[in-house]
Amino acid sequence: MKRYLFTLSFGALFGLSHGYAQVPTDSLSVQPVAADSTQPAAPKNPVVTGFLVDSTGGKPVEFASVALFNRSTNQLVTGTVADGKGQFTISNVTPGNYRLQISFVGYETKSIEPLNVIQDVTLGVIKLTGDSKTLQEVTVTGQKALIEEKVDRLVYNAEKDISSKGGDASDILRKVPMLSVDLDGNVSMRGSSNIRVLINNKPSTIVASSVADALKQIPADQIATVEVITSPSAKYDAEGSGGIINIITKKNNLQGFNLNLDTGVGNRGANLGLNGNYRQGKMGFTLGGFGRAEYNVKTLSTLDQTSQVGGNTLLSRQTGEGMTRGLMGRYNLGWDYDISKNQSITAGIRYGLRNRNVDQDYLTELFTNGAMTGTQNRNVTTKNNSGTIDANIDYLHIFKPQQEWSVSALYSRNDMVNNFDADLLSGESLTGRQRNLNDNVNQEFTLQTDYQTPIQKNQMLEFGLKGIMRKVNSDYEYLLAGPTGNYFPQENNPKGFLDYNQNIAAGYASYTYTTKNKYTFKVGTRYEYTAIDARSNTDASIAIPNYSNFVPSLNISKALKTGMVKLAYNRRIQRPGIQQLNPNFNAANPQNVTMGNPLLRPELTDNVELGYSNTFNKAFFNAAVFGRFTNNSITQVRTPLDTLAGAILTTFENIGSEHALGVNLFFKYDLSSKFSLDFFTNSYYTKLQGTTTGLDGLSINIENSGVNVDFGSRIQATLGKGWGIQGFGMMRGPQVQLQGRMAGFGFYNLGIRKDFANKKGSIGIAAENFLSSNIRMKTELTSPQFTQVNNMYMYNRGVRLTFSYKIGKMSMQAPRRRAKSIQNDDVKDGGGNDTGAGMQNGSGGQSSGGSTPSGGAPAGGGKPTTSPKK
């Protein structure tokens, strides 16, 4: 007697990639195998399983219909729906001869036959091909090429954006629904700047200092997708009260060698990038570099401040003219190796460079009780330089589909210099010089392990442990000099230091359950313990107590035929970052002084969200209603300094509470297969209230509220013969602050590109804000103690010519396994600075060794599990 086993025609079923088989299963063969009399009889009710992926992108195809037909009668026997990871299971199949039929909107119907079911059948990866008519619309203008809705995130596919070519990551993020990016590159999500930015799921210390500057290092050409994670699961670090942004860069899984050249030059900046890949067999290498020069960036500002000090009314009127120049770069070397069919290891090292100098000339007029008391002339050069190194190694072991264990280690160090040199003038004569030296080091080591395993066919259990050891140092000193003499210490501003050690231990557990009627429930909790040891020159030990937090999360979704409804709740922590802790008294502009606060405590935020998305013929619609409730909020607070110069000090305090209620809308319509239009708006009501201390030492209650509105639109067209055009415009309304309103602004750009006939290169031109010479941003801040009106004129009209070309030839291979990587989501930095000097929280560092996490999410949301590579 003989029995039959199904085998893949090109490899074993357990040669897995991202939890899937390594090879296509389009071709199945049947091989006779001698029966083993010692084995039990084949089960009476076999099970048929498989994984559905997109044939071009390798992403899981979620919620596709899978039907089993009797080949003799052509009658439907049974069927099911794939889950959020593209996996399907058909149970209780009577042995027989069948045809398996798979169908989903936007894809060609696929049939696998003959399918002789005698015992359990594992089909592995099944690739679905886009429908020829639908595919043309998708790749050119279709909604799937632009927006994908997941259980816990929205995925923006940036590869089709031609107007941002030659720009940086901030140009891409401006166009992503739910995000807002100001002209300095500071990012907010649904009005909150307390967010976390990851690059290929990896953190970096440089972005803990400044998201805005880190984004300038990432070329727009290298961004594949942007994931806006509004409801992170327990698997993510608890940090980032507003949510998480994960930027996925372009990688490939090809065999051979290629080299990509990307360059551009314009009136305000130029860039040059080289990225190479080499892969042979089980081993691959990546080597890349990107540099961006910034020049001719002019600013003009006015600042009027009135304050009440010692019974006197002090007024200062200031004008400033400035010019910015900078050099940013990012260089990476990556390696990956397949140890065996189910084990892989990746490693990489990255270096980031950010040097930015600002020359600013200030003229300040001082008044006391309406009478002029003097003028000040000051020419300042500010230097903000940093160098970052990130090194990682990641190991992944896949035991069977969706059952895997990973171990990851990451070391990151950022050396920063934030200095300024000021010439003090009387008329045209130099009367003295001032210098502020501020060196900062931010370094961390992270070790993490994660394990996940399926429970039956529709449940998933995930848990893991993580430890972060972080050390921050800041040394600062003020020096004075005469017109020709040497510098000497300034007595009123002595040198000082801050040593801040933060150790975090965390563990999490998450459970996912998917029902037959397409409901998905994902519930989890995370425990984090934070120990802090801080010292400064003024305090031998800074009294910051250790603390622990439980952070629950819940995601519920219902898959519709062409859409999704979801409800989510999560709690988040926001720890202060280096820019908020740094006690350096920064008086580069003595009228607008900034200083951090080492005594800051973390803030806690509860988030709720109800979302809906659907496709109607050629239209795609996404809407979400959200609420955000924050206690112990870390907020910028301004108070007058006790001087006769009318100066204002900006620092950070845990002021009290911040509540926000809002709605996000996104609509896209394909007028034809070659022309599309979309529109988005973010509107929310926010209320802030808290307590601060006045000059007299008494507490002052502060409260402010109002509506914030952003909206924008995009037009995209494919003109044939390789030509494409895209236009984008947006308006950001004034933003409510605790002590006033921050300026709004408008932004627009237009891009045209021509692809070469051989598809190996392209040439294009892009321009932004080309109809006006500058943009005016007006910020008004008020309190019982002061008023401040700041006008900033940004001369950012620009045009650039772009060119790209690819050298080498590579051949496609099967999707590969990828080791999971560390993501630290646990630090808040100095965000929301009204003067544009604010810094957001985030993470840098490109993925190494071609390691690209999936853009999809596991069933029920959370961090993407391993999946076929794009």
Side-chain angles (χ1 to χ4, degrees), residues 243-497:
I244 296 173
I245 300 172
N246 189 23
I247 300 173
I248 304 296
T249 58
K250 297 176 183 177
K251 297 291 179 181
N252 60 63
N253 58 335
L254 306 179
Q255 291 274 1
F257 166 80
N258 76 345
L259 180 66
N260 295 329
L261 168 67
D262 287 287
T263 185
V265 62
N267 65 317
R268 292 191 297 111
N271 64 277
L272 174 64
L274 287 172
N275 290 278
N277 295 273
Y278 175 78
R279 172 163 296 285
Q280 195 65 40
K282 296 182 177 182
M283 187 177 299
F285 296 90
T286 61
L287 178 64
F290 173 82
R292 178 180 175 87
E294 187 179 41
Y295 46 79
N296 292 335
V297 182
K298 179 184 176 182
T299 59
L300 176 65
S301 64
T302 65
L303 177 65
D304 289 351
Q305 295 182 158
T306 302
S307 58
Q308 303 295 326
V309 177
N312 294 311
T313 300
L314 306 181
L315 169 65
S316 65
R317 291 177 175 169
Q318 183 184 85
T319 59
E321 295 184 6
M323 189 71 70
T324 300
R325 60 189 185 278
L327 182 64
M328 296 84 172
R330 182 175 296 278
Y331 315 94
N332 65 280
L333 172 65
W335 169 82
D336 64 271
Y337 179 72
D338 290 338
I339 301 172
S340 64
K341 292 181 179 180
N342 59 351
Q343 299 181 75
S344 63
I345 187 170
T346 65
I349 185 168
R350 297 160 300 280
Y351 177 74
L353 172 71
R354 177 188 58 84
N355 293 336
R356 199 177 195 198
N357 294 341
V358 180
D359 295 320
Q360 197 82 24
D361 297 337
Y362 294 111
L363 172 61
T364 307
E365 298 176 328
L366 304 177
F367 300 84
T368 300
N369 299 324
M372 178 178 287
T373 58
T375 61
Q376 295 178 353
N377 285 16
R378 185 180 181 92
N379 297 342
V380 184
T381 298
T382 303
K383 298 180 180 179
N384 293 314
N385 301 336
S386 74
T388 303
I389 185 168
D390 300 314
N392 72 285
I393 183 167
D394 307 304
Y395 167 79
L396 175 65
H397 188 153
I398 302 176
F399 300 95
K400 63 180 182 181
Q402 299 189 61
Q403 183 183 14
E404 53 192 49
W405 172 58
S406 63
V407 180
S408 302
L410 170 71
Y411 174 77
S412 184
R413 178 186 174 105
N414 179 220
D415 292 88
M416 297 173 286
V417 174
N418 303 113
N419 299 344
F420 75 79
D421 288 278
D423 290 339
L424 311 180
L425 306 172
S426 177
E428 299 295 329
S429 302
L430 179 66
T431 61
R433 292 173 294 161
Q434 185 183 49
R435 171 176 291 177
N436 176 217
L437 304 178
N438 186 202
D439 295 331
N440 302 275
V441 177
N442 189 351
Q443 57 184 331
E444 59 186 42
F445 175 75
T446 307
L447 185 63
Q448 174 178 328
T449 182
D450 299 278
Y451 179 78
Q452 68 175 43
T453 182
I455 305 174
Q456 300 180 359
K457 64 178 182 179
N458 60 343
Q459 301 173 63
M460 175 70 73
L461 179 65
E462 302 168 275
F463 53 88
L465 298 171
K466 184 174 186 177
I468 306 174
M469 291 166 283
R470 180 176 292 115
K471 186 175 183 179
V472 174
N473 304 101
S474 176
D475 295 295
Y476 54 93
E477 180 179 13
Y478 266 86
L479 303 172
L480 287 177
T484 59
N486 297 325
Y487 281 98
F488 56 90
Q490 184 173 341
E491 293 182 2
N492 294 332
N493 293 281
K495 65 180 181 179
F497 70 89

